[in-house]
Amino acid sequence: MSNDQGTGQIDKIQRSAYLSSKGIKPTAQLQLDLIFPDTMGDRDDMRHIPNDYARSAIFTISNKREPRRTLMREKLFHYNEHVSILYSGIELRAEDDELVWLQILKYGEGVPLGEPFEFSIKRLVRDVNWSKNGRNYDRARECITRLRANEVLALNKKAYGKSGSISLIQNYTAINDADGKPTQYRVWIDPNLIVLFAGNTFTSHTWELYRDLSPVARRLADYIESHQYPYPLTIEKFRKMCGSNNENTRSWKQTVKKACAEVKEAKIAAFIRIDDNDQICCAREQIAIKPSNDTKDV
C-alpha cells in the first residue's frame, strides 16, 4: 500500500468515526430529510448550506462583467483558521451558482445521497425565482456544468478531518431538446457530503428572503445565520470571505452598508451596523436591556 493509499484509508476511518459520534451510521443509506427531520423534512420554505462552505470564499461576489477565474487546488479564504478548503475548477459565484446549488440540494433531500433524482430546467429556474426565458435557462445550465466540473477538499481539524475530494454535483445526465439543450436532468450528490452536515453543522435559510438578496447581502446572511450569536466581523475579513477584489476601503464599506440594510430589512438581523473600528456588529434577535437595580424614576 502506498503512502497516499494509507493516508486515504486513515482519512476514511476518521470520517466514519466522526459520523458515528454524531449518531449517523456510515454504512447506512444517508438521506438528509430523514437524518434531519426537524430542519429539513417537510420544511419546503428552507434551504441549507454547510457551515464550512457558508463561512468560506467558495461562492464569490465578483462582478458579472469580470471573466471567471479557473483555479487549481487554490486555498480559499475561510473565517475559521482550523478549516481549510482547496478548490479546483471554474470560479463559483453567489449571484447564481450558490442559489442553484442550494435548490438542487433541496431536490435531493428526499433520496439517499449517491442515488439519482430528477428535475426540469424550467422548474429550477422557477424555484430560484428567475424570469422564465431562454437566457435564464442557459444560465441555469451553465451553473450545473460548473457545479459538476470542480473538486472541493475541506479540512476541519476540529471535526471530520478531511472531507474527501467532492464535486458539488457528483454527476448528472440529461435529456436534450431538438436543439441539443438539456431540459430534464438526473443528478447524483456525493455521499461524502454528509460529513459537512453531520451534527447539524449547517445553516438554514428562509428561501423566499434569501434568494432575493443581492450577492453581497446573501454572503452576509451566510455568515450571520451560520452563528447563533455572530461575532463582530471586520469589513476586510468579510471582503475576503466574499472573494472580492475591491481593495478601496471606502467603496467596499459603502457596499457593505447596503448589504447590512438588506439583511435588516429581510429581518435576518434584528440589529446590524458598522462600528468605528470597521467591524460589522449584529444580533439575530433583539437583545433586551435590563435596567440596573439602582435605576430611579425621574
Side-chain angles (χ1 to χ4, degrees), residues 182-252:
T183 57
Q184 188 78 17
Y185 282 87
R186 172 174 284 192
V187 168
W188 288 257
I189 299 295
D190 195 319
N192 274 341
L193 189 67
I194 191 61
V195 298
L196 298 174
F197 282 88
N200 289 287
T201 52
F202 58 91
T203 298
S204 299
H205 294 298
T206 302
W207 188 233
E208 288 189 2
L209 298 176
Y210 179 81
R211 70 184 180 185
D212 293 336
L213 295 172
S214 69
V216 180
R218 197 176 302 131
R219 297 308 338 272
L220 185 55
D222 283 342
Y223 175 76
I224 293 170
E225 296 199 295
S226 67
H227 294 87
Q228 185 175 2
Y229 303 105
Y231 296 101
L233 177 68
T234 66
I235 62 171
E236 173 61 15
K237 204 166 188 178
F238 179 55
R239 183 183 72 81
K240 292 178 179 178
M241 205 185 91
C242 289
S244 171
N245 58 11
N246 184 357
E247 296 183 356
N248 183 316
T249 303
R250 185 175 181 180
S251 169
W252 176 243

Coordinates of all heavy atoms in Angstrom, one line a residue, residues 182-252:
P182 N -30.1 20.7 -22.8 CA -30.7 19.9 -21.7 C -32.0 20.5 -21.2 O -32.1 21.7 -20.9 CB -29.7 19.8 -20.6 CG -28.4 20.1 -21.3 CD -28.7 21.1 -22.4
T183 N -33.0 19.6 -21.0 CA -34.3 20.1 -20.5 C -34.7 19.4 -19.2 O -35.4 19.9 -18.3 CB -35.5 19.9 -21.5 OG1 -35.5 18.5 -21.9 CG2 -35.3 20.7 -22.7
Q184 N -34.2 18.1 -19.1 CA -34.5 17.3 -17.9 C -33.2 16.7 -17.4 O -32.4 16.1 -18.2 CB -35.5 16.2 -18.2 CG -36.0 15.4 -17.1 CD -37.1 16.1 -16.3 OE1 -37.7 17.0 -16.8 NE2 -37.4 15.6 -15.1
Y185 N -32.9 16.9 -16.1 CA -31.7 16.4 -15.5 C -31.9 15.3 -14.5 O -32.9 15.3 -13.8 CB -31.0 17.6 -14.7 CG -30.3 18.6 -15.6 CD1 -31.0 19.7 -16.2 CD2 -28.9 18.5 -15.9 CE1 -30.3 20.6 -17.0 CE2 -28.3 19.4 -16.7 CZ -29.0 20.4 -17.3 OH -28.3 21.4 -18.1
R186 N -30.9 14.4 -14.5 CA -30.8 13.4 -13.4 C -29.5 13.6 -12.8 O -28.4 13.6 -13.4 CB -30.9 12.0 -14.0 CG -30.6 10.9 -13.0 CD -30.8 9.5 -13.5 NE -32.2 9.2 -13.6 CZ -32.7 8.0 -13.8 NH1 -31.9 7.0 -13.9 NH2 -34.0 7.7 -13.8
V187 N -29.5 13.9 -11.4 CA -28.3 14.3 -10.7 C -28.0 13.4 -9.6 O -28.9 12.8 -8.9 CB -28.6 15.8 -10.2 CG1 -27.5 16.2 -9.2 CG2 -28.6 16.8 -11.4
W188 N -26.7 13.3 -9.3 CA -26.2 12.5 -8.1 C -25.4 13.4 -7.2 O -24.6 14.3 -7.7 CB -25.3 11.4 -8.6 CG -25.9 10.2 -9.2 CD1 -26.2 9.0 -8.7 CD2 -26.3 10.1 -10.6 NE1 -26.8 8.1 -9.6 CE2 -26.9 8.8 -10.8 CE3 -26.4 11.0 -11.7 CZ2 -27.4 8.4 -12.0 CZ3 -26.9 10.6 -12.9 CH2 -27.4 9.3 -13.1
I189 N -25.6 13.3 -5.9 CA -24.8 14.1 -4.9 C -23.9 13.1 -4.2 O -24.3 12.0 -3.8 CB -25.7 14.8 -3.9 CG1 -26.6 15.8 -4.7 CG2 -24.9 15.5 -2.8 CD1 -25.9 16.9 -5.3
D190 N -22.6 13.5 -4.0 CA -21.6 12.7 -3.4 C -22.0 12.3 -1.9 O -22.3 13.2 -1.1 CB -20.3 13.4 -3.4 CG -19.1 12.5 -3.1 OD1 -19.2 11.6 -2.2 OD2 -18.0 12.6 -3.7
P191 N -22.0 11.0 -1.5 CA -22.3 10.7 -0.1 C -21.4 11.3 0.9 O -21.8 11.5 2.1 CB -22.2 9.2 -0.1 CG -22.5 8.8 -1.6 CD -21.9 9.9 -2.4
N192 N -20.1 11.6 0.5 CA -19.2 12.2 1.4 C -19.6 13.6 1.9 O -19.1 14.1 3.0 CB -17.8 12.3 0.8 CG -17.0 11.1 1.0 OD1 -17.2 10.2 1.8 ND2 -16.0 10.9 0.1
L193 N -20.6 14.2 1.2 CA -21.1 15.5 1.7 C -21.7 15.4 3.1 O -21.8 16.4 3.7 CB -22.1 16.0 0.7 CG -22.6 17.5 0.8 CD1 -21.4 18.4 0.6 CD2 -23.7 17.8 -0.1
I194 N -22.1 14.2 3.5 CA -22.8 14.1 4.8 C -21.9 14.6 5.9 O -22.4 15.1 6.9 CB -23.2 12.6 5.0 CG1 -24.1 12.5 6.3 CG2 -22.0 11.7 5.2 CD1 -25.4 13.3 6.1
V195 N -20.6 14.5 5.8 CA -19.7 14.9 6.9 C -19.8 16.4 7.2 O -19.6 16.9 8.3 CB -18.2 14.5 6.7 CG1 -18.1 13.0 6.6 CG2 -17.6 15.2 5.5
L196 N -20.2 17.2 6.1 CA -20.3 18.6 6.3 C -21.7 19.0 6.9 O -21.9 20.1 7.4 CB -20.2 19.3 4.9 CG -18.8 19.1 4.2 CD1 -18.9 19.7 2.9 CD2 -17.7 19.8 5.1
F197 N -22.6 18.0 7.0 CA -23.9 18.3 7.6 C -24.1 17.6 9.0 O -24.9 18.1 9.8 CB -25.0 17.7 6.7 CG -25.4 18.6 5.5 CD1 -24.7 18.5 4.3 CD2 -26.4 19.5 5.6 CE1 -25.0 19.3 3.2 CE2 -26.7 20.4 4.5 CZ -26.0 20.2 3.3
A198 N -23.3 16.6 9.2 CA -23.5 15.8 10.4 C -23.3 16.7 11.7 O -22.5 17.6 11.7 CB -22.4 14.7 10.5
G199 N -24.1 16.4 12.7 CA -24.1 17.2 13.9 C -24.8 18.5 13.7 O -24.5 19.5 14.5
N200 N -25.6 18.7 12.7 CA -26.4 19.9 12.4 C -25.4 21.1 12.2 O -25.7 22.2 12.6 CB -27.3 20.3 13.6 CG -28.5 19.3 13.6 OD1 -29.4 19.4 12.8 ND2 -28.5 18.4 14.6
T201 N -24.3 20.8 11.5 CA -23.3 21.8 11.2 C -23.6 22.5 9.9 O -22.8 22.5 9.0 CB -21.9 21.3 11.2 OG1 -21.9 20.1 10.4 CG2 -21.5 20.9 12.6
F202 N -24.8 22.9 9.7 CA -25.3 23.6 8.5 C -26.2 24.8 8.8 O -26.7 24.8 10.0 CB -25.9 22.6 7.5 CG -27.1 21.9 8.1 CD1 -28.4 22.5 8.0 CD2 -27.0 20.7 8.8 CE1 -29.5 21.8 8.5 CE2 -28.1 20.1 9.3 CZ -29.4 20.6 9.1
T203 N -26.3 25.6 7.9 CA -27.1 26.9 8.1 C -28.4 26.7 7.3 O -28.4 26.3 6.1 CB -26.3 28.1 7.6 OG1 -25.2 28.2 8.4 CG2 -27.2 29.4 7.7
S204 N -29.5 27.1 7.9 CA -30.8 27.0 7.2 C -31.3 28.4 6.9 O -31.4 29.3 7.8 CB -31.9 26.3 8.1 OG -31.4 25.0 8.3
H205 N -31.6 28.7 5.6 CA -32.1 30.0 5.2 C -33.5 29.9 4.8 O -34.0 29.0 4.2 CB -31.3 30.5 4.0 CG -29.8 30.7 4.2 ND1 -29.4 31.7 5.1 CD2 -28.7 30.1 3.6 CE1 -28.0 31.7 5.0 NE2 -27.6 30.8 4.2
T206 N -34.3 31.0 5.2 CA -35.6 31.1 4.7 C -35.5 31.5 3.2 O -35.1 32.6 2.9 CB -36.4 32.2 5.5 OG1 -36.4 31.8 6.9 CG2 -37.8 32.3 5.0
W207 N -36.0 30.6 2.3 CA -35.6 30.7 0.9 C -36.2 32.0 0.2 O -35.5 32.6 -0.5 CB -36.2 29.5 0.2 CG -35.8 29.3 -1.2 CD1 -36.6 29.1 -2.3 CD2 -34.4 29.3 -1.8 NE1 -35.9 28.9 -3.4 CE2 -34.6 29.0 -3.1 CE3 -33.2 29.4 -1.2 CZ2 -33.4 29.0 -4.0 CZ3 -32.1 29.4 -2.1 CH2 -32.2 29.1 -3.4
E208 N -37.4 32.3 0.5 CA -38.0 33.5 -0.2 C -37.3 34.8 0.1 O -37.3 35.7 -0.7 CB -39.5 33.6 0.1 CG -40.3 32.5 -0.6 CD -41.8 32.7 -0.5 OE1 -42.2 33.8 0.1 OE2 -42.6 31.9 -1.0
L209 N -36.7 34.8 1.3 CA -36.0 36.0 1.7 C -34.6 36.0 1.2 O -34.1 36.9 0.6 CB -35.9 36.2 3.2 CG -37.3 36.3 4.0 CD1 -37.1 36.3 5.5 CD2 -38.0 37.6 3.5
Y210 N -33.9 34.8 1.3 CA -32.5 34.7 1.0 C -32.3 34.8 -0.5 O -31.3 35.4 -0.9 CB -32.1 33.3 1.5 CG -30.6 32.9 1.2 CD1 -29.6 33.4 2.0 CD2 -30.3 32.1 0.2 CE1 -28.3 33.1 1.8 CE2 -29.0 31.7 -0.1 CZ -28.0 32.2 0.7 OH -26.7 31.9 0.5
R211 N -33.1 34.1 -1.3 CA -32.8 34.1 -2.8 C -33.0 35.5 -3.4 O -32.4 35.7 -4.5 CB -33.8 33.1 -3.4 CG -35.2 33.5 -3.5 CD -36.1 32.5 -4.1 NE -37.5 33.0 -4.2 CZ -38.5 32.2 -4.5 NH1 -38.4 31.0 -4.9 NH2 -39.8 32.7 -4.6
D212 N -33.7 36.4 -2.8 CA -33.9 37.7 -3.4 C -32.9 38.8 -2.9 O -33.0 39.9 -3.3 CB -35.4 38.2 -3.1 CG -36.4 37.3 -3.9 OD1 -36.0 36.7 -4.9 OD2 -37.5 37.2 -3.4
L213 N -32.0 38.4 -2.0 CA -30.9 39.3 -1.6 C -29.9 39.5 -2.7 O -29.8 38.7 -3.6 CB -30.2 38.7 -0.4 CG -31.0 38.6 0.9 CD1 -30.2 37.8 1.9 CD2 -31.5 39.9 1.4
S214 N -29.2 40.6 -2.7 CA -28.1 40.8 -3.6 C -27.0 39.8 -3.2 O -26.9 39.3 -2.1 CB -27.6 42.2 -3.5 OG -27.0 42.4 -2.2
P215 N -26.0 39.6 -4.1 CA -24.9 38.6 -3.7 C -24.2 38.9 -2.5 O -23.9 38.1 -1.7 CB -24.0 38.6 -5.0 CG -25.0 39.0 -6.1 CD -25.9 40.0 -5.5
V216 N -23.9 40.2 -2.3 CA -23.1 40.6 -1.0 C -24.0 40.4 0.2 O -23.5 39.9 1.2 CB -22.6 42.1 -1.1 CG1 -21.9 42.4 0.1 CG2 -21.7 42.3 -2.3
A217 N -25.2 40.8 0.1 CA -26.1 40.6 1.3 C -26.3 39.1 1.5 O -26.5 38.6 2.7 CB -27.5 41.3 1.0
R218 N -26.3 38.3 0.5 CA -26.5 36.8 0.6 C -25.3 36.2 1.4 O -25.4 35.4 2.2 CB -26.7 36.2 -0.7 CG -27.3 34.8 -0.6 CD -27.6 34.2 -2.0 NE -28.5 35.0 -2.7 CZ -28.3 35.5 -4.0 NH1 -27.2 35.1 -4.6 NH2 -29.2 36.2 -4.6
R219 N -24.1 36.7 1.0 CA -22.9 36.2 1.7 C -22.9 36.7 3.2 O -22.4 35.9 4.1 CB -21.6 36.7 1.0 CG -21.3 36.2 -0.4 CD -21.4 34.7 -0.7 NE -21.3 33.8 0.4 CZ -20.1 33.3 0.9 NH1 -19.0 33.7 0.3 NH2 -20.0 32.5 1.9
L220 N -23.4 37.9 3.4 CA -23.5 38.3 4.8 C -24.5 37.5 5.6 O -24.3 37.2 6.7 CB -23.9 39.8 4.8 CG -24.0 40.5 6.2 CD1 -22.6 40.4 6.9 CD2 -24.3 42.0 6.0
A221 N -25.6 37.1 4.9 CA -26.6 36.2 5.5 C -26.0 34.9 5.8 O -26.3 34.3 6.9 CB -27.8 36.1 4.6
D222 N -25.1 34.4 5.0 CA -24.4 33.1 5.2 C -23.6 33.2 6.5 O -23.7 32.3 7.3 CB -23.4 32.8 4.1 CG -24.1 32.3 2.8 OD1 -25.3 31.8 2.9 OD2 -23.5 32.3 1.7
Y223 N -22.9 34.3 6.7 CA -22.1 34.5 7.9 C -23.1 34.6 9.2 O -22.9 33.9 10.1 CB -21.2 35.7 7.8 CG -20.5 36.0 9.1 CD1 -19.4 35.2 9.5 CD2 -21.0 37.0 10.0 CE1 -18.8 35.4 10.7 CE2 -20.3 37.2 11.2 CZ -19.2 36.4 11.6 OH -18.6 36.6 12.8
I224 N -24.0 35.5 9.1 CA -24.9 35.8 10.2 C -25.6 34.5 10.7 O -25.6 34.1 11.8 CB -25.9 36.9 9.9 CG1 -25.1 38.2 9.7 CG2 -26.9 37.1 11.0 CD1 -26.0 39.4 9.2
E225 N -26.3 33.9 9.7 CA -27.2 32.8 10.1 C -26.4 31.5 10.4 O -27.0 30.5 10.9 CB -28.2 32.5 9.0 CG -29.1 33.7 8.8 CD -30.4 33.4 8.1 OE1 -30.4 33.1 6.9 OE2 -31.5 33.5 8.8
S226 N -25.1 31.4 10.1 CA -24.3 30.3 10.5 C -23.8 30.4 11.9 O -23.1 29.5 12.4 CB -23.1 30.1 9.5 OG -22.2 31.1 9.6
H227 N -24.2 31.5 12.6 CA -23.8 31.7 14.0 C -25.1 32.0 14.8 O -25.9 32.8 14.4 CB -22.8 32.8 14.2 CG -21.5 32.6 13.6 ND1 -21.2 32.9 12.3 CD2 -20.3 32.1 14.2 CE1 -19.9 32.6 12.1 NE2 -19.4 32.1 13.2
Q228 N -25.3 31.4 16.0 CA -26.4 31.8 16.8 C -26.2 33.2 17.3 O -27.1 34.0 17.4 CB -26.5 30.8 18.0 CG -27.8 31.1 18.8 CD -28.0 30.0 19.9 OE1 -27.2 29.1 20.1 NE2 -29.0 30.1 20.7
Y229 N -24.9 33.5 17.7 CA -24.6 34.8 18.2 C -23.4 35.2 17.4 O -22.2 35.0 17.8 CB -24.2 34.8 19.7 CG -25.4 34.2 20.5 CD1 -25.3 33.0 21.1 CD2 -26.5 35.0 20.8 CE1 -26.4 32.5 21.8 CE2 -27.6 34.5 21.5 CZ -27.5 33.2 22.1 OH -28.5 32.7 22.8
P230 N -23.6 35.9 16.3 CA -22.5 36.3 15.4 C -21.4 37.2 16.1 O -21.8 38.2 16.7 CB -23.2 37.0 14.2 CG -24.6 36.6 14.3 CD -24.9 36.4 15.7
Y231 N -20.2 36.8 15.9 CA -19.1 37.7 16.4 C -18.9 38.9 15.5 O -19.2 38.8 14.3 CB -17.8 36.9 16.4 CG -17.7 35.7 17.3 CD1 -17.9 34.4 16.8 CD2 -17.5 35.9 18.7 CE1 -17.9 33.3 17.7 CE2 -17.5 34.8 19.5 CZ -17.7 33.5 19.0 OH -17.7 32.4 19.9
P232 N -18.4 40.0 16.0 CA -18.1 41.1 15.2 C -17.1 40.7 14.0 O -16.2 39.9 14.3 CB -17.4 42.2 16.1 CG -18.0 41.8 17.4 CD -18.2 40.3 17.5
L233 N -17.4 41.2 12.9 CA -16.6 40.8 11.7 C -16.1 42.0 11.0 O -16.9 42.9 10.6 CB -17.6 40.0 10.7 CG -17.0 39.5 9.4 CD1 -15.9 38.4 9.6 CD2 -18.1 39.0 8.5
T234 N -14.8 42.1 10.8 CA -14.2 43.2 10.2 C -14.6 43.2 8.7 O -14.8 42.2 8.1 CB -12.7 43.3 10.2 OG1 -12.1 42.2 9.5 CG2 -12.2 43.2 11.7
I235 N -14.8 44.4 8.1 CA -15.2 44.5 6.7 C -14.1 43.9 5.8 O -14.4 43.4 4.7 CB -15.6 45.9 6.3 CG1 -14.4 46.9 6.4 CG2 -16.8 46.4 7.1 CD1 -14.7 48.3 5.8
E236 N -12.9 44.0 6.3 CA -11.8 43.4 5.5 C -11.9 41.9 5.4 O -11.7 41.2 4.4 CB -10.4 43.8 6.0 CG -9.2 43.1 5.3 CD -9.1 43.4 3.8 OE1 -9.8 44.3 3.3 OE2 -8.3 42.7 3.2
K237 N -12.2 41.3 6.6 CA -12.3 39.8 6.7 C -13.6 39.4 5.8 O -13.5 38.4 5.2 CB -12.5 39.4 8.1 CG -12.1 37.9 8.4 CD -11.9 37.7 9.9 CE -11.3 36.3 10.1 NZ -11.1 36.0 11.5
F238 N -14.6 40.2 5.9 CA -15.8 39.9 5.1 C -15.5 40.0 3.6 O -16.0 39.2 2.8 CB -17.0 40.8 5.5 CG -18.2 40.6 4.7 CD1 -18.8 39.3 4.7 CD2 -18.8 41.6 4.1 CE1 -20.0 39.1 4.0 CE2 -20.0 41.4 3.3 CZ -20.6 40.1 3.3
R239 N -14.7 41.0 3.2 CA -14.3 41.1 1.8 C -13.6 39.9 1.3 O -13.9 39.4 0.2 CB -13.4 42.3 1.7 CG -13.0 42.6 0.2 CD -12.0 43.8 0.1 NE -10.7 43.4 0.6 CZ -9.8 42.7 -0.1 NH1 -10.0 42.3 -1.4 NH2 -8.6 42.4 0.4
K240 N -12.7 39.3 2.2 CA -12.0 38.1 1.8 C -13.0 36.9 1.7 O -12.9 36.0 0.9 CB -10.9 37.8 2.8 CG -9.7 38.8 2.7 CD -8.7 38.5 3.7 CE -7.5 39.5 3.7 NZ -6.5 39.2 4.7
M241 N -14.0 36.9 2.6 CA -14.9 35.8 2.6 C -15.8 35.9 1.4 O -16.3 34.9 0.9 CB -15.8 35.9 3.9 CG -16.5 34.6 4.3 SD -17.6 34.9 5.7 CE -19.1 35.1 4.8
C242 N -16.0 37.1 0.8 CA -16.7 37.3 -0.4 C -15.9 37.0 -1.6 O -16.5 37.0 -2.8 CB -17.3 38.7 -0.5 SG -18.6 39.0 0.7
G243 N -14.6 36.9 -1.5 CA -13.7 36.7 -2.7 C -13.7 38.0 -3.5 O -13.5 37.9 -4.7
S244 N -13.9 39.1 -2.9 CA -13.9 40.4 -3.6 C -12.5 41.0 -3.8 O -11.7 40.9 -2.9 CB -14.8 41.4 -2.8 OG -14.7 42.7 -3.4
N245 N -12.3 41.6 -5.0 CA -11.0 42.2 -5.2 C -11.1 43.7 -5.1 O -10.2 44.4 -5.5 CB -10.5 41.8 -6.6 CG -11.4 42.2 -7.7 OD1 -12.4 42.9 -7.5 ND2 -11.1 41.7 -8.9
N246 N -12.2 44.2 -4.5 CA -12.3 45.6 -4.2 C -11.5 46.0 -3.0 O -11.9 45.9 -1.9 CB -13.8 46.0 -4.0 CG -14.0 47.5 -3.9 OD1 -13.1 48.3 -3.9 ND2 -15.3 47.9 -3.7
E247 N -10.3 46.6 -3.3 CA -9.4 47.0 -2.2 C -9.6 48.4 -1.8 O -8.8 48.9 -0.9 CB -8.0 46.6 -2.6 CG -7.8 45.1 -2.8 CD -6.3 44.8 -3.1 OE1 -5.5 45.7 -3.2 OE2 -6.0 43.6 -3.1
N248 N -10.5 49.1 -2.4 CA -10.8 50.5 -2.0 C -11.7 50.5 -0.7 O -12.9 50.1 -0.8 CB -11.6 51.2 -3.1 CG -11.8 52.7 -2.8 OD1 -12.3 53.0 -1.7 ND2 -11.6 53.6 -3.8
T249 N -11.1 50.8 0.4 CA -11.9 50.6 1.7 C -13.1 51.4 1.7 O -14.2 50.9 2.2 CB -10.9 51.0 2.9 OG1 -9.8 50.2 2.8 CG2 -11.7 50.8 4.2
R250 N -13.1 52.6 1.3 CA -14.3 53.5 1.3 C -15.4 52.9 0.4 O -16.6 52.8 0.9 CB -13.9 54.9 0.8 CG -15.1 55.9 1.0 CD -14.6 57.3 0.6 NE -15.7 58.2 0.8 CZ -15.6 59.5 0.5 NH1 -14.4 60.0 0.1 NH2 -16.6 60.3 0.7
S251 N -15.1 52.5 -0.8 CA -16.0 51.9 -1.7 C -16.6 50.6 -1.1 O -17.8 50.4 -1.2 CB -15.4 51.6 -3.0 OG -16.2 50.8 -3.9
W252 N -15.7 49.7 -0.6 CA -16.2 48.5 0.0 C -17.1 48.7 1.2 O -18.1 48.0 1.4 CB -15.0 47.6 0.3 CG -15.4 46.3 1.0 CD1 -15.1 45.9 2.2 CD2 -16.2 45.2 0.4 NE1 -15.7 44.6 2.5 CE2 -16.3 44.2 1.4 CE3 -16.8 45.1 -0.9 CZ2 -17.0 43.0 1.1 CZ3 -17.5 43.9 -1.1 CH2 -17.6 42.9 -0.1

